[in-house]
Amino acid sequence: MSDPRLRLIRNFSIVAHIDHGKSTLADRLLEITHTLPPQQMKAQVLDDMDLEREKGITIKSHAIAMEYTAKSGDHYQLNLIDTPGHVDFTYEVSRSLAACEGAVLVVDASQGIEAQTLSNYLLAREQGLTVVGAINKVDLQVARPDDAALEIEHVTKIPAEHVLRISAKTGLGVEDLLEQIIAEIPPPSGDPDAPLRALIFDSKFDQYRGVVALVRVVDGRIAPGDAIRFLSTGKIYEVTEVGRLRLKLDPLPALTAGQVGYVVAGVKSVGEARVGDTIAAAVAHDLVPLPGFREVKPMVFSGLYPIESDQYESLKEALGKLVLNDASLIYEPETSVALGFGFRCGFLGLLHMEIVQERLRREYQIELIATTPSVEFKVLLESGELKVVDNPSQMPPAQTIAVIEEPYVLAHVLTPGEYLGNIMKLCQDRRGIFVGLEYLEEKRARVGYRLPLAEIVLDFYDRLKSVSRGYASLDYEYDGDREGDMVKLDILLNGETVDALSTIVHRDKAYTWGADLCAKLKELIPKQMFQVAIQAAIGSKIIARETQGAMRKNVTAKCYGGDITRKRKLLEKQKEGKRRMKQIGTVEVPQEAFLAVLKVER
Amino acid sequence: MEPHPASDPLTASRLGPSVAARAAARRGLYVHVPFCAVRCSYCDFSSGALSAAAVERYLAAMALETARRAPDARGAVFTSVFFGGGTPSALSARHFTRLAALVRGAFAIADDAEITLEANPESVRAPLLEAWATAGVNRLSMGAQSFDAEELEGLGRIHDAARPGEAFALARAHGFRRLSLDLMFGFPGNDGGRLARTLDRALALDPEHLSAYCYIPEPGTPLGDRVLRRDVALPSTDAQADEYAMLTARLEAAGFAGYETSNFARAGAEARHNLVYWLRRDHMALGPSAHGLWNGVRFGNHYAFERWAASLEADASCDATEIESARSRADEIVMLGLRLGCGLDASDHPATRWADVLRRYGAAFEQGLALGRLEPARDGVRIPRAHRFVADDTIAWLMAAADRPSRGPLGDVVRGRTDLTPARSAP
Ligand SMILES: Nc1nc2c(ncn2[C@@H]2O[C@H](COP(=O)(O)OP(=O)(O)OP(=O)(O)O)[C@@H](O)[C@H]2O)c(=O)[nH]1
Ligand code: SF4
Ligand SMILES: [Mg+2]
């Protein structure tokens, strides 16, 4: 039973498949509750990172506090957390849910239930949250709200007629939804008088304040001046500021049980205030820590190297700053013969990798080369030694290897029935092991496969979209390692192995891979001074070759008095192009070539 | 076909220009004559219609410009003068004589200076030749472009294929010993066969010097626009490269040295004035669109005749200037010097400037040598003969390499194989 003092608090997340309108719905809720002055409103106002705005997607969860006088006349404190929809960021959703009692499950009326609708619903249910359904985008011509309602009923057992139909765009039905949220989602159930326990569900780094821990106070009360302890490290700090989250931090005298807000306590490194940790009073003892989070495991690894080798230090510093706000990114130094000094980085997926690279480029002005993405292999050597290999160039020589295990995922694809055949064929081509098939209602199927992660990280999603005309959606989670007959495929440019281009592929696919990769590299490596032989090899055996002919003409015919300045400017331009290439032996290799593996059509 | 056979250092060393020719090119004076009888279809030079009134205005403005620039050049002796255009040969004998007198009145010209005049074949006539000789002109650069009637028409030239021969004979009869022919290749309609025939006709005239330019489509010119709109097709770059290789081989076989990307000369007949540009020696410049380099300042006169003349008449600035920096100077020395057959040579530059070049480019030269982009020359480096038609790639590459301030222990040029360096340091 909830403490009566918490009766007027509601904490909820908005969850959905990507693009179903979560952030737009958040906009309307902010408007109805007059949380932001009208001049501060803009579409998806909570997506405040440049990249989020540009890509039109949410990357990080955003929490914001609102106040609302309901039709009943009661004045509520609401905490809304908008979450990302992309599968790479599922862990953001589960952390956000941990701060809430309820979730609004938004379903696009023109798309129906998709893979992340389901996975996010399951996450919410696992954590015991109350789910309120909402069918969004009913203003669209192609909306099929009744179908969507039936799908929701099938999956969540919420009666179809109980699910509100809204338009986050026009605001239709949103106020009713808010009333329903208040009516159905329970208030928090903490004890304001018990010893302090607060869950850190996210953290960020602020230039002036240091680490800002985003917390859900479960029991007790926290205020500036309190001495607190982080239970996992045992370290003690003094609270300097607490408050609620608005677009900016909004200080309050205290936070009490049931509330979501932030805590600043002079913590300098995010490692000391880890997400998932419990904050307690410094004097407390025998307190049971709150359940934290499963640690997120990076799925994809790639080497990041500055194009200009003198930017190594800047890259190191920049990565250090990025992890302050992105705990899922990991990195450690590595060297490459081809590329010099850089960092091996682990990412949640390709989108995450792209975002990190893009942020390094924009926010820190570092031009990067990223090496071929790889998953993490477990390699058992004949000697009995076990090695973990996430960098293909580190794969031990084939004759020393007893067994290679590769990571698998359990993947679920949601699709209209008519594309099932295509999709199953695709999964089989990708070495998938069929797990099961069920229908959500007669037209929509959910098919499960165990798939090698290596087969899906690169281009599976795009292929899936193309064989289903964009209708299928994918969700997956790590599902252990299994043995695989993997070989290391090397790429040689003019006879020299380029370690940064090596990949680990299944033996049955090595030949087609090699040929496709050479062809793609030929497209990506421009004609240059010298002819370039592009070869693929397994061990010492060449399995594919392409030749890029030498450039024949690049000269200014006339260069007299008046031409000199003009020519110098032209050369400056050519020079800039060259600076974005990496010299490897006799060959100048452009940035994009290192990601050729992503561009091979399979 | 291996596109870039290893170059032959022996032949390359004979490419010149000779040390003596380089030493003689000390200081140049360029005079732009902005008039043409008819505008050619490919040309974007500053040039306009010829009329007595226009020439009078030109000479008057020229008097103002010489008066303005002469004080800067006090005490300087010019080793070359170049009357370019436009068509200097389109000026009447009387007008040219007045122009030459203006120039000589304002600047000190060495007795043994090379004085070149650009002439179009159709305008070469006895009275003009006499006037030119009297003014001290001792070298004629004749714009023939092609000896193919169809090509001449396509280029909008107003002389026929026989006319250059007649002009040559007339010039020789008037005692001109240094004659040069301008040719063009790689333009729409041109091909290897036609170029070969043009070369036959050109060589038959026994010129001392030849320039052969690969056509560049200039926007704003009739032919250039047609190419850019794809109304007419340009020969492929492969075809142009083949033509260049062919003409180089033909000219070398005939005893010409390709001493610069587009210039070929018999021994001792290198264009001294043009060496001034490529060796980055000081040069004064007069007339619309003329560009000079004087005392560390590059200046470019207003391009259009009208604007140039009007600004002089109004006693206003007639040019835009750019002050050189140690860096722009080093970049130019490299970019220009690598056009020469002999390449960059320390002895061509004052010691401090060469030291600047080495400071900025020393490591880049080493890498270029290691990669075969450069080869060692007398006291410097040069582009291998086989790469001359792709020289800009190496120049841009050197500039990029020079910009890289530091190199990691592995360097930017990594040779050898991938024997796995300990990639992951312990976490
Ligand atoms: N027509 C219509 N379009 C909507 C509606 N709600 C959202 N959209 C549009 O759908 C697109 C996605 O909206 P977002 O609010 O960014 O979706 P999201 O769920 O936050 O997306 P992610 O954060 O990337 O998962 C945008 O172009 C919105 O304008 C609606 O009710 N009607
Ligand atoms: S090519 Fe020479 S003659 Fe023809 S328009 Fe240009 S300047 Fe005049
Ligand atoms: Mg969003």
Side-chain angles (χ1 to χ4, degrees):
Chain A
M1 206 34 242
S2 173
D3 190 287
R5 285 167 289 179
L6 310 186
R7 192 176 65 88
L8 298 178
I9 300 178
R10 295 292 181 277
N11 300 313
F12 63 96
S13 294
I14 306 180
V15 299
H17 191 77
I18 193 161
D19 269 353
H20 281 208
K22 297 175 287 297
S23 303
T24 309
L25 173 59
D27 289 347
R28 294 298 82 76
L29 292 173
L30 293 174
E31 271 169 12
I32 292 174
T33 57
H34 311 288
T35 302
L36 300 178
Q39 63 273 18
Q40 271 189 30
M41 274 315 292
K42 54 186 173 189
Q44 291 98 35
V45 66
L46 294 180
D47 291 343
D48 55 4
M49 272 161 63
D50 280 355
L51 260 174
E52 291 181 314
R53 301 208 64 77
E54 211 164 278
K55 290 184 175 287
I57 59 167
T58 303
I59 294 168
K60 268 197 79 71
S61 287
H62 294 267
I64 189 155
M66 312 184 291
E67 283 164 39
Y68 176 64
T69 307
K71 296 204 171 116
S72 65
D74 285 334
H75 190 73
Y76 286 89
Q77 279 181 41
L78 307 175
N79 265 296
L80 170 164
I81 307 181
D82 180 26
T83 65
H86 192 278
V87 61
D88 277 11
F89 304 119
T90 303
Y91 82 105
E92 290 268 329
V93 181
S94 42
R95 289 186 337 207
S96 305
L97 291 173
C100 300
E101 283 70 43
V104 178
L105 181 68
V106 176
V107 178
D108 183 328
S110 66
Q111 304 291 326
I113 283 193
E114 297 197 72
Q116 271 73 52
T117 319
L118 208 58
S119 65
N120 288 336
Y121 167 70
L122 293 173
L123 277 179
R125 211 184 53 183
E126 243 171 56
Q127 303 196 15
L129 268 59
T130 303
V131 174
V132 173
I135 295 168
N136 187 30
K137 307 199 190 181
V138 295
D139 59 298
L140 286 177
Q141 288 268 306
V142 291
R144 296 175 292 107
D146 295 340
D147 291 353
L150 283 176
E151 288 174 10
I152 293 178
E153 178 177 297
H154 184 100
V155 168
T156 66
K157 311 287 178 279
I158 303 173
E161 58 279 3
H162 189 68
V163 179
L164 285 176
R165 284 119 204 259
I166 64 166
S167 166
K169 189 172 173 184
T170 65
L172 173 84
V174 176
E175 185 135 20
D176 293 340
L177 177 64
L178 190 51
E179 292 287 336
Q180 192 177 7
I181 288 169
I182 286 166
E184 294 185 5
I185 293 177
S189 62
D191 179 356
D193 303 319
L196 169 68
R197 286 197 307 169
L199 174 70
I200 305 180
F201 68 91
D202 201 353
S203 75
K204 54 186 180 182
F205 195 83
D206 182 289
Q207 219 184 323
Y208 306 105
R209 296 174 167 95
V211 175
V212 178
L214 308 196
V215 301
R216 160 65 193 273
V217 182
V218 175
D219 291 320
R221 179 179 183 281
I222 185 168
D226 289 356
I228 55 165
R229 188 148 56 98
F230 293 97
L231 289 188
S232 73
T233 62
K235 288 203 173 164
I236 292 176
Y237 297 88
E238 186 187 322
V239 176
T240 55
E241 183 182 332
V242 301
R244 59 179 180 174
L245 297 151
R246 286 295 177 105
L247 279 192
K248 295 210 169 66
L249 301 179
D250 186 16
L252 288 178
L255 289 175
T256 52
Q259 282 187 308
V260 171
Y262 69 91
V263 173
V264 179
V267 182
K268 289 286 168 285
S269 98
V270 276
E272 293 165 56
R274 282 217 308 276
V275 169
D277 201 355
T278 302
I279 297 178
V283 293
H285 47 87
D286 291 344
L287 262 190
V288 183
L290 297 160
F293 304 109
R294 248 186 303 165
E295 228 179 288
V296 282
K297 263 181 59 121
M299 302 261 231
V300 186
F301 299 81
S302 162
L304 295 187
Y305 292 83
I307 288 197
E308 306 282 354
S309 39
D310 58 307
Q311 285 205 321
Y312 174 81
E313 284 301 324
S314 325
L315 175 57
K316 184 171 164 183
E317 212 169 286
L319 283 167
K321 285 190 184 145
L322 280 189
V323 294
L324 293 178
N325 288 313
D326 182 356
S328 56
L329 171 67
I330 63 162
Y331 68 101
E332 55 186 49
E334 80 169 359
T335 60
S336 150
V337 176
L339 302 177
F341 289 96
F343 293 92
R344 191 93 202 145
C345 300
F347 306 97
L348 299 169
L350 280 192
L351 177 66
H352 186 216
M353 167 168 159
E354 185 190 324
I355 285 166
V356 168
Q357 256 181 281
E358 191 59 23
R359 291 188 63 186
L360 288 168
R361 196 174 69 77
R362 283 182 198 211
E363 295 167 30
Y364 301 93
Q365 286 80 45
I366 301 173
E367 287 289 339
L368 292 170
I369 287 173
T371 65
T372 305
S374 170
V375 301
E376 191 176 74
F377 296 92
K378 302 215 168 76
V379 181
L380 181 66
L381 300 178
E382 295 285 3
S383 66
E385 190 192 342
L386 183 72
K387 285 190 80 169
V388 175
V389 176
D390 60 32
N391 176 351
S393 74
Q394 296 297 290
M395 187 56 90
Q399 64 277 12
T400 66
I401 297 176
V403 178
I404 299 180
E405 283 189 350
E406 58 174 331
Y408 269 64
V409 293
L410 176 58
H412 283 104
V413 177
L414 239 72
T415 175
E418 62 253 53
Y419 305 111
L420 201 53
N422 290 348
I423 288 165
M424 291 177 72
K425 176 165 184 321
L426 175 66
C427 291
Q428 245 117 41
D429 286 350
R430 297 303 175 89
R431 303 191 279 130
I433 306 161
F434 179 76
V435 175
L437 172 66
E438 60 176 321
Y439 280 85
L440 294 193
E441 34 87 54
E442 63 191 285
K443 280 180 257 157
R444 190 163 290 251
R446 178 172 188 249
V447 59
Y449 271 89
R450 295 211 154 77
L451 281 157
L453 178 62
E455 293 283 346
I456 71 164
V457 275
L458 300 185
D459 64 337
F460 184 79
Y461 191 67
D462 294 341
R463 295 288 305 142
L464 185 68
K465 286 283 172 196
S466 85
V467 302
S468 67
R469 297 165 163 234
Y471 283 114
S473 57
L474 167 74
D475 179 54
Y476 58 84
E477 59 186 345
Y478 176 63
D479 186 46
D481 298 309
R482 286 179 182 67
E483 192 176 333
D485 187 8
M486 312 307 285
V487 293
K488 178 174 161 222
L489 184 71
D490 288 324
I491 295 291
L492 290 77
L493 297 180
N494 281 353
E496 291 180 21
T497 304
V498 179
D499 57 1
L501 285 172
S502 295
T503 41
I504 293 167
V505 292
H506 194 266
R507 188 180 302 277
D508 294 349
K509 299 189 169 182
Y511 280 77
T512 32
W513 248 130
D516 291 352
L517 202 52
C518 287
K520 192 42 96 177
L521 282 167
K522 182 178 171 179
E523 276 172 39
L524 294 170
I525 297 176
K527 278 188 189 292
Q528 43 200 279
M529 179 67 72
F530 305 101
Q531 176 180 298
V532 183
I534 303 163
Q535 294 168 305
I538 299 174
S540 55
K541 185 169 170 217
I542 304 291
I543 59 164
R545 174 183 173 126
E546 294 275 348
T547 305
Q548 178 64 285
M551 145 199 305
R552 298 291 314 278
K553 180 189 173 192
N554 182 5
V555 71
T556 314
K558 290 194 178 196
C559 196
Y560 301 104
D563 309 317
I564 291 171
T565 309
R566 181 162 84 148
K567 166 150 188 199
R568 209 177 70 212
K569 290 194 176 127
L570 281 173
L571 284 169
E572 290 277 343
K573 254 199 213 145
Q574 278 198 41
K575 176 186 87 175
E576 287 312 317
K578 296 236 174 248
R579 287 181 56 156
R580 281 192 289 277
M581 308 238 242
K582 197 81 192 177
Q583 181 88 44
I584 296 177
T586 50
V587 187
E588 288 168 272
V589 186
Q591 249 171 321
E592 312 81 68
F594 291 94
L595 292 179
V597 68
L598 298 183
K599 299 184 179 126
V600 173
E601 277 151 33
R602 296 201 270 172
Chain B
M1 188 190 81
E2 238 354 270
H4 296 307
S7 56
D8 161 18
L10 265 183
T11 328
S13 69
R14 289 204 311 265
L15 287 177
S18 69
V19 176
R22 273 141 51 203
R26 283 197 297 278
R27 206 172 279 111
L29 173 59
Y30 177 76
V31 184
H32 191 81
V33 182
F35 306 108
C36 292
V38 174
R39 188 143 195 109
C40 304
S41 66
Y42 55 89
C43 172
D44 74 336
F45 290 145
S46 171
S47 159
L50 186 65
S51 72
V55 177
E56 284 304 336
R57 188 171 177 208
Y58 166 71
L59 288 172
M62 202 46 117
L64 296 170
E65 189 177 9
T66 50
R68 190 185 288 183
R69 300 219 183 264
D72 282 344
R74 193 158 296 138
V77 177
F78 290 86
T79 51
S80 62
V81 181
F82 195 103
F83 292 97
T87 314
S89 60
L91 291 180
S92 69
R94 284 210 344 271
H95 283 147
F96 180 77
T97 306
R98 280 168 61 194
L99 174 64
L102 266 177
V103 171
R104 284 191 177 275
F107 300 96
I109 315 289
D111 290 343
D112 60 352
E114 171 195 274
I115 302 181
T116 305
L117 179 134
E118 276 186 329
N120 269 356
E122 71 277 358
S123 53
V124 176
R125 281 169 288 108
L128 275 176
L129 284 161
E130 277 155 28
W132 297 341
T134 309
V137 173
N138 50 24
R139 182 172 180 272
L140 294 182
S141 167
M142 203 95 72
Q145 313 313 343
S146 163
F147 286 84
D148 179 298
E150 222 174 279
E151 288 184 347
L152 285 171
E153 171 153 8
L155 295 173
R157 303 287 295 181
I158 54 173
H159 56 83
D160 61 21
R163 185 60 202 160
E166 296 157 23
F168 255 57
L170 208 55
R172 295 256 187 248
H174 279 79
F176 282 90
R177 290 287 150 263
R178 301 184 62 198
L179 301 183
S180 177
L181 266 181
D182 271 11
L183 300 177
M184 200 157 49
F185 67 95
F187 51 86
N190 179 242
D191 60 32
R194 288 179 148 167
L195 177 63
R197 288 190 294 278
T198 283
L199 285 173
D200 288 340
R201 304 266 313 252
L203 288 171
L205 300 185
D206 199 18
E208 280 73 24
H209 185 279
L210 262 161
S211 304
Y213 301 110
C214 187
Y215 168 73
I216 305 167
E218 297 288 356
T221 65
L223 185 59
D225 284 345
R226 262 181 284 146
V227 170
L228 298 173
R229 282 198 312 265
R230 296 176 191 277
D231 290 350
V232 292
L234 211 54
S236 68
T237 53
D238 277 357
Q240 291 179 328
D242 289 342
E243 285 191 60
Y244 182 73
M246 185 264 280
L247 84 89
T248 307
R250 283 287 310 271
L251 293 177
E252 282 177 5
F256 289 83
Y259 71 99
E260 193 259 359
T261 311
S262 305
N263 285 280
F264 303 82
R266 293 209 181 278
E270 295 96 341
R272 183 190 288 173
H273 183 78
N274 290 338
L275 284 175
V276 163
Y277 300 131
W278 301 321
L279 296 170
R280 223 184 160 280
R281 308 262 156 86
D282 272 7
H283 46 280
M284 194 36 92
L286 304 167
S289 85
H291 280 65
L293 169 65
W294 198 258
N295 267 338
V297 180
R298 279 206 181 277
F299 63 89
N301 279 351
H302 297 325
Y303 176 87
F305 171 52
E306 170 59 38
R307 184 161 172 226
W308 165 80
S311 56
L312 284 161
E313 288 153 7
D315 204 15
S317 157
C318 67
D319 62 14
T321 59
E322 182 197 335
I323 297 170
E324 69 177 16
S325 63
R327 179 171 162 171
S328 70
R329 196 162 58 208
D331 285 351
E332 287 178 7
I333 288 175
V334 168
M335 121 188 158
L336 295 166
L338 287 176
R339 297 180 67 85
L340 299 178
C342 63
L344 287 161
D345 193 308
S347 72
D348 287 330
H349 304 280
T352 54
R353 292 191 176 184
W354 184 248
D356 285 346
V357 170
L358 289 186
R359 194 167 313 118
R360 180 159 160 70
Y361 281 93
F365 289 161
E366 291 301 324
Q367 292 173 41
L369 287 166
L371 286 175
R373 279 181 174 275
L374 296 174
E375 60 186 22
R378 208 184 68 118
D379 187 2
V381 291
R382 69 171 166 237
I383 302 241
R385 221 152 64 88
H387 295 179
R388 289 183 82 177
F389 210 56
V390 289
D392 283 3
D393 191 73
T394 286
I395 298 170
W397 181 89
L398 287 168
M399 290 169 78
D403 271 357
R404 263 169 225 143
S406 64
R407 277 162 206 90
L410 291 164
D412 279 306
V413 178
V414 185
R415 310 216 114 221
R417 245 212 53 104
T418 343
D419 285 311
L420 305 170
T421 18
R424 294 183 96 163
S425 56

